[in-house]
Amino acid sequence: MISIDRTPIGAMKILSCYREVQQILAGKMPVPRTMEFFLSNDCNHACAGCHSRYLHREEQRFLDFETVKEVVSDIAELGVEGVEISGGGEPLLYPKIIPAIAFMRGRGLKVGMFSNGTLLDAETSEFLVQNLLFLRIAFDAGSRETYRKIHGRDDFQKLQENLEMLVSLRSKVSAGGGGKGRRKGKAKYGMATLGAKYLVSNRNWSELKAAAEMAREAGLDYLQYKVLRASRFTPEGETLEKAREVADEARELSDESFQVFGSLEKTKVIGRCFLNPLHPVIDATGNMYLCAFFHHRKKTHRIGNVNEKSFPEIWYGKRHMEAFKSTKPKECAVFDCPFHEAAVLARSWIVENQKHLEFI
């Protein structure tokens, strides 16, 4: 029997971008597969190790809604398929988050969102499970006390209640008003994938398995974990070894309806990035960047501002190609970028054509 990887995150997905990678290799700028928005610079939490907390607090709070609609219309017309809403700050603080998602969906785009999940109410939750393809919630602790230390807020009980509400509402929506049990069907609207994200640090590594148990019990579809990087809270040495043991135990919780996956290993750069045109970012000030990991190189990764030029003008402009060609591998090694692993596959299977992808 063929084993199918059912996790929604992983390097293998780069193979679906075969045509776009070919365009990049030919010196052309493809249409992005995903457009990421940092709609908000505001956040109701103060997480330990959060880089955005310091880098964006003096900037414009929210991306203008009219600008959002203009950009969304442009990217939909160009053929962008997915929109990822993250931050920056907490997306649910964006004053027009529901109208923004509704507008994106109305233009035929699939939408996913990252959130800390503590600001959800019943009305918003029902809308999200009906209109998002996925919702990934920050779930960085297995206890109230550790959560408070990590997030700077005593919202652990509220988070658990909100997760239960999300799962319950999804069941009712997908069953037309009375469904029970976990979702095992196809990913479609009205049946949003609900996942947890666990950022492993030297403050919470020991509770990874406990958090995975809670996520499974709540009815979530998966828990993904990764290491907090470039922080005084980054686990190293003996602490990292112990974290690996806990991660191994957490993965054993996986079954047909719940997956635990991730890595605590540092990703490795294999050369200058050639994949960032697939996933650019627009922040709350309207600045567009090559990728989500622009924080430590804002000047070199900035390619324009959507309050000043249209998306197509920026995307196909001279500045974009200049910035794309001048990225430095050493500066890409600070965080664990998902494109690092994807680039290994893309280089061997698409660039070097080891799999002869022109043939079935």
Side-chain angles (χ1 to χ4, degrees):
M1 179 181 292
I2 296 176
S3 177
I4 304 296
D5 180 7
R6 294 181 292 107
T7 60
I9 305 165
M12 291 290 289
K13 292 171 67 173
I14 194 62
L15 298 179
S16 70
C17 300
Y18 172 67
R19 294 298 182 193
E20 291 99 321
V21 173
Q22 285 186 319
Q23 285 183 275
I24 294 170
L25 297 175
K28 301 176 182 178
M29 194 59 67
V31 173
R33 176 65 63 89
T34 304
M35 186 74 239
E36 185 168 356
F37 285 93
F38 291 179
L39 295 179
S40 169
N41 276 332
D42 278 7
C43 190
N44 61 319
H45 282 194
C47 296
C50 177
H51 304 284
S52 296
R53 178 182 171 190
Y54 304 102
L55 291 167
H56 301 300
R57 60 183 175 183
E58 301 298 329
E59 296 180 348
Q60 178 177 318
R61 296 174 62 194
F62 305 115
L63 184 60
D64 178 72
F65 183 51
E66 293 303 315
T67 300
V68 172
K69 292 194 291 185
E70 291 175 6
V71 174
V72 168
S73 296
D74 283 341
I75 64 176
E77 185 174 345
L78 286 174
V80 172
E81 296 184 28
V83 170
E84 190 171 278
I85 302 174
S86 58
E90 166 55 44
L92 290 176
L93 281 173
Y94 187 64
K96 294 186 178 294
I97 187 62
I98 290 181
I101 294 173
F103 189 85
M104 294 167 184
R105 293 286 295 117
R107 292 300 184 275
L109 294 162
K110 293 181 174 62
V111 185
M113 191 170 79
F114 295 81
S115 170
N116 63 41
T118 61
L119 296 176
L120 291 166
D121 56 31
E123 182 179 358
T124 301
S125 296
E126 184 172 3
F127 173 84
L128 294 181
V129 298
Q130 289 180 305
N131 287 278
L132 294 181
L133 186 61
F134 72 84
L135 176 60
R136 197 172 308 160
I137 303 292
F139 198 97
D140 301 315
S143 69
R144 175 181 176 181
E145 180 59 25
T146 298
Y147 187 89
R148 185 190 63 78
K149 290 179 180 179
I150 297 293
H151 283 259
R153 298 289 185 274
D154 189 13
D155 285 341
F156 192 60
Q157 182 63 35
K158 178 64 174 176
L159 174 62
Q160 291 178 300
E161 293 171 356
N162 287 350
L163 293 179
E164 293 174 359
M165 175 175 61
L166 279 169
V167 173
S168 176
L169 285 169
R170 182 179 66 178
S171 295
K172 292 178 181 179
V173 168
S174 62
K180 295 182 179 180
R182 289 186 191 159
R183 179 178 64 94
K184 294 184 179 181
K186 299 179 181 179
K188 61 183 180 180
Y189 283 97
M191 298 179 72
T193 298
L194 302 176
K197 177 69 171 289
Y198 198 98
L199 199 56
V200 179
S201 71
N202 60 20
R203 286 188 162 190
N204 69 353
W205 62 268
S206 64
E207 297 184 5
L208 174 56
K209 181 182 178 182
E213 291 173 337
M214 289 181 179
R216 183 177 67 172
E217 182 64 25
L220 300 187
D221 299 301
Y222 66 84
L223 181 141
Q224 179 207 13
Y225 62 87
K226 63 181 295 186
V227 172
L228 171 67
R229 297 294 182 190
S231 169
R232 63 190 178 95
F233 301 113
T234 299
E236 298 175 342
E238 184 179 349
T239 299
L240 183 58
E241 287 302 316
K242 291 179 179 179
R244 290 192 178 103
E245 295 176 4
V246 177
D248 289 342
E249 295 174 358
R251 284 198 300 273
E252 293 178 359
L253 297 171
S254 298
D255 56 30
E256 290 186 0
S257 59
F258 179 73
Q259 298 290 312
V260 178
F261 58 92
S263 175
L264 300 182
E265 306 306 315
K266 187 79 176 70
T267 60
K268 297 180 180 179
V269 182
I270 64 170
R272 187 178 68 80
C273 182
F274 62 96
L275 298 178
N276 58 58
L278 302 174
H279 190 142
V281 174
I282 295 174
D283 72 8
T285 70
N287 282 328
M288 190 189 304
Y289 296 91
L290 293 176
C291 71
F293 298 101
F294 65 84
H295 297 88
H296 58 296
R297 45 192 173 167
K298 295 177 72 172
K299 183 176 180 181
T300 59
H301 270 44
R302 182 183 181 276
I303 60 175
N305 188 292
V306 292
N307 292 310
E308 301 167 358
K309 293 183 178 181
S310 68
F311 180 89
E313 288 177 309
I314 297 172
W315 191 250
Y316 297 111
K318 180 180 178 181
R319 167 60 190 157
H320 185 190
M321 186 59 73
E322 289 175 345
F324 168 66
K325 291 181 177 180
S326 63
T327 56
K328 300 177 181 179
K330 287 185 178 180
E331 295 179 351
C332 287
V334 177
F335 300 99
D336 291 334
C337 175
F339 279 156
H340 295 169
E341 293 183 359
V344 175
L345 278 175
R347 179 163 292 182
S348 61
W349 287 21
I350 301 177
V351 179
E352 298 172 1
N353 199 22
Q354 293 178 9
K355 282 290 186 178
H356 300 175
L357 295 181
E358 297 87 350
F359 299 86
I360 300 298

